[in-house]
Amino acid sequence: MGIAMPGDSERWRCTGCGNLTRFDVTRTVRSQDFVHQELSGAGAVEERTVLSETVERVKCRWCGATDSVEIVSRPDADRSVSGSSAESATGRA
């Protein structure tokens, strides 16, 4: 059974140390790739379609805990201050 990935309005948080930014994520990905092979033999993936993905483990990079990582709500980054603008009250920047 896999671990949930955070959604657009969520993020991981380590309850042990409070880390919000650094995690080692072990996951299994099944994908279909379009590989372009050069005549020299060098290849590059030009297109990838993820068919399935399972997060197996999330480890806190700061304290090393694997059983203390939870999903929490992310602060709203799109919050705008009403009435704010780049211009002053006189209409000049």
Side-chain angles (χ1 to χ4, degrees):
M1 183 171 133
I3 299 167
M5 286 287 292
D8 291 340
S9 62
E10 302 170 319
R11 63 181 173 185
W12 282 315
R13 178 182 179 275
C14 179
T15 59
C17 68
N19 172 28
L20 292 168
T21 59
R22 304 286 192 265
F23 300 94
D24 291 317
V25 180
T26 304
R27 62 193 180 116
T28 301
V29 177
R30 186 171 167 265
S31 66
Q32 179 177 331
D33 299 340
F34 169 66
V35 179
H36 179 176
Q37 292 289 142
E38 300 287 335
L39 292 176
S40 66
V45 175
E46 290 189 0
E47 189 176 302
R48 172 168 285 159
T49 304
V50 175
L51 304 174
S52 65
E53 178 178 12
T54 303
V55 177
E56 298 173 12
R57 185 176 83 158
V58 180
K59 177 181 167 188
C60 177
R61 183 52 84 95
W62 289 359
C63 72
T66 57
D67 58 348
S68 299
V69 179
E70 66 179 1
I71 293 180
V72 296
S73 295
R74 232 172 49 182
D76 187 5
D78 295 336
R79 208 176 332 179
S80 63
V81 177
S82 62
S84 68
S85 109
E87 295 182 357
S88 69
T90 62
R92 297 181 188 156

